[in-house]
Amino acid sequence: MILPPRGPLRVYAAVTFFDSLVPGIMLAGGVLFFTEVAHLGAVQVGSGLSLAALVGLAAAVPAGRLGDRTGHRRLLIVLSLLRALILGAYQLVDSYPVFLVVACLAGLVESAAGPVRQACLGAVTTPGNRVRTLAFNRVVRNIGATLATPALGLALALDSPLAFRALIGAGAVSVLTVALVAVRLPETPVPSAGAGPAATGPRPAGAGRAGVLRDRPYLTLALLNGVLVMHMELLEVGMPLWVTGHTRAPAWTTSALLFLNVLIAIALQMRVGRTVTGVGSAARALRRGGYCLPAAAVVFAATGTLGPLPGVLALSAAVTLLTLTELLQSAGSWGLSYDLADAARLGEYQGAWSTGTQLVRSCAPLLVTLALSSLAATGWLVIGAGYAVAAASAVPLARRAHAWRTGERPRWVHEVPERRDRVRPR
């Protein structure tokens, strides 16, 4: 992995690294803190986190719009400081009502920070290097999340309230570091007083006061991308449930498969990212990734009848296919979310894209759990078939969105010409 040159790209990579430590720390550490230290029930914690995720949906688009008008770097610094403050406030949780308030505040700020951070990346990249830069930062994020694991393991080994409080404190310090590093990022252009968003590129005919809410093709693609991100729930929820409840694989298999996923992602994310050079190749990447998942589903379904060793080998093959889905889907999503956005409203558009993902993902754990628990192996096949149908829609929907934005309907025999000088005729 080659570091980006000194300057904004390397600064953004540092922001990504310190931000990535937080999910690695909070994924299990936060849940254990609330149950072991705050003495909340597992159902209370689960319901509170679900409510926080749903409440957070309301913040993404307004935060992106605010960043478009005031500057995304400035807003990212403010949001990072708020995130650090709210993580520190977790230490004060001693009842379910207090937990709900703090968790919902955290959900709002976390959801707001995502599109603002993505818009900051748009300011330090060009269309020619954007997907490669995003791929590099995805590798950095995987490395950071992996490096956070020892801290979580140490807290689990000590199993004391002080250890879990220190873990939450480390998460707050990491987010505070994000704010300090983000000071070195360049500011995004902002409009002058009384003007609309700063125009840095073409805008579709429908772009008015409503902005992204008028861009129905883009919103449809955002929802489709949310469906295709379901591979994350299959890996993090479906695979562990399947391995422990429906296969004869050893108990350590789940952790080994998750580690395999991280290794493949780190090794191949940059290479896959280089294949996306425009809207057409991004849409095709979504489609190819979508077709990898049904193959993985078939292999997963077959593992229930295999012995321990063949089962582990087959599960490894299935997770490899699932990881290829992840790599292709993420690269395609990056290309479409930026190249089809109104450049004058990049934060707002990134907010809508992330909202589509969060909206679908909020339902995905329940759907995956119900499908696999009630249908067993058939559930994998049903999920795979539905995913293939969704993936087949990627290219037609992207073609429609591109036509709506540029006024021309691309053939995409090889690649979409970078045309940014036309708007949709009225």
Side-chain angles (χ1 to χ4, degrees):
M1 185 175 66
I2 301 175
L3 287 174
R6 291 183 180 273
L9 293 181
R10 190 173 293 188
V11 174
Y12 189 89
V15 168
T16 299
F17 175 76
F18 287 106
D19 186 77
S20 69
L21 297 176
V22 182
I25 290 173
M26 297 298 296
L27 184 61
V31 174
L32 292 174
F33 173 83
F34 295 128
T35 56
E36 300 296 327
V37 180
H39 305 295
L40 299 177
V43 174
Q44 290 179 315
V45 175
S47 62
L49 293 178
S50 296
L51 178 62
L54 291 174
V55 169
L57 293 174
V61 173
R65 186 176 295 164
L66 180 61
D68 291 333
R69 295 186 174 277
T70 63
H72 293 103
R73 181 192 66 114
R74 186 179 297 112
L75 185 56
L76 177 61
I77 294 170
V78 172
L79 290 174
S80 298
L81 293 174
L82 286 176
R83 288 174 68 198
L85 183 64
I86 292 170
L87 280 177
Y90 277 156
Q91 307 278 1
L92 305 177
V93 171
D94 58 359
S95 65
Y96 185 57
V98 175
F99 166 66
L100 283 180
V101 172
V102 177
C104 288
L105 288 175
L108 285 169
V109 179
E110 288 284 346
S111 181
V116 173
R117 192 167 53 246
Q118 294 296 88
C120 283
L121 183 135
V124 300
T125 57
T126 63
N129 71 354
R130 186 169 293 142
V131 174
R132 290 196 302 273
T133 302
L134 281 160
F136 175 84
N137 279 272
R138 179 67 171 267
V139 174
V140 171
R141 185 167 290 277
N142 279 326
I143 292 174
T146 302
L147 292 178
T149 304
L152 176 58
L154 179 61
L156 291 172
L158 295 175
D159 194 22
S160 69
L162 181 60
F164 288 117
R165 289 187 182 279
L167 192 65
I168 300 300
V173 171
S174 181
V175 179
L176 182 61
T177 307
V178 169
L180 296 176
V181 175
V183 172
R184 299 177 57 193
L185 288 172
E187 186 55 274
T188 52
V190 296
S192 58
T200 57
R203 305 176 66 188
R209 181 177 299 178
V212 71
L213 300 181
R214 293 280 300 274
D215 197 336
R216 293 177 183 173
Y218 188 91
L219 295 176
T220 303
L221 266 177
L223 289 174
L224 174 69
N225 182 67
V227 173
L228 296 179
V229 176
M230 190 185 290
H231 61 76
M232 297 301 298
E233 276 65 40
L234 291 174
L235 177 70
E236 297 170 359
V237 178
M239 183 273 290
L241 290 176
W242 181 258
V243 170
T244 57
H246 297 272
T247 74
R248 296 163 61 188
W252 49 262
T253 303
T254 295
S255 59
L257 293 175
L258 291 173
F259 187 62
L260 175 64
N261 165 261
V262 172
L263 286 181
I264 296 173
I266 291 175
L268 298 182
Q269 184 72 79
M270 291 285 291
R271 183 173 298 180
V272 173
R274 284 195 293 268
T275 65
V276 174
T277 58
V279 177
S281 55
R284 290 193 295 272
L286 277 186
R287 184 175 60 188
R288 288 198 303 271
Y291 291 164
C292 288
L293 191 138
V298 171
V299 179
F300 271 121
T303 58
T305 61
L306 301 177
L309 180 57
V312 170
L313 295 176
L315 287 167
S316 299
V319 168
T320 299
L321 288 168
L322 200 59
T323 307
L324 291 177
T325 297
E326 173 189 345
L327 301 181
L328 288 163
Q329 178 276 323
S330 58
S333 171
W334 298 330
L336 295 177
S337 66
Y338 282 96
D339 290 348
L340 292 175
D342 180 353
R345 298 176 179 268
L346 187 56
E348 184 179 340
Y349 270 69
Q350 291 301 307
W353 193 267
S354 66
T355 299
T357 300
Q358 294 176 54
L359 183 62
V360 178
R361 287 197 68 183
S362 64
C363 307
L366 177 61
L367 295 176
V368 169
T369 303
L370 287 176
L372 298 184
S373 61
S374 60
L375 300 177
T378 305
W380 281 111
L381 302 181
V382 170
I383 291 171
Y387 205 93
V389 171
S393 306
V395 171
L397 287 176
R399 183 180 290 116
R400 175 172 171 247
H402 185 272
W404 191 85
R405 174 158 297 282
T406 65
E408 59 184 17
R409 189 168 296 277
R411 295 180 181 274
W412 289 350
V413 176
H414 297 292
E415 186 47 86
V416 178
E418 291 295 330
R419 293 292 301 276
R420 296 282 186 173
D421 57 342
R422 297 179 61 187
V423 296
R424 177 175 176 262
R426 296 183 181 276

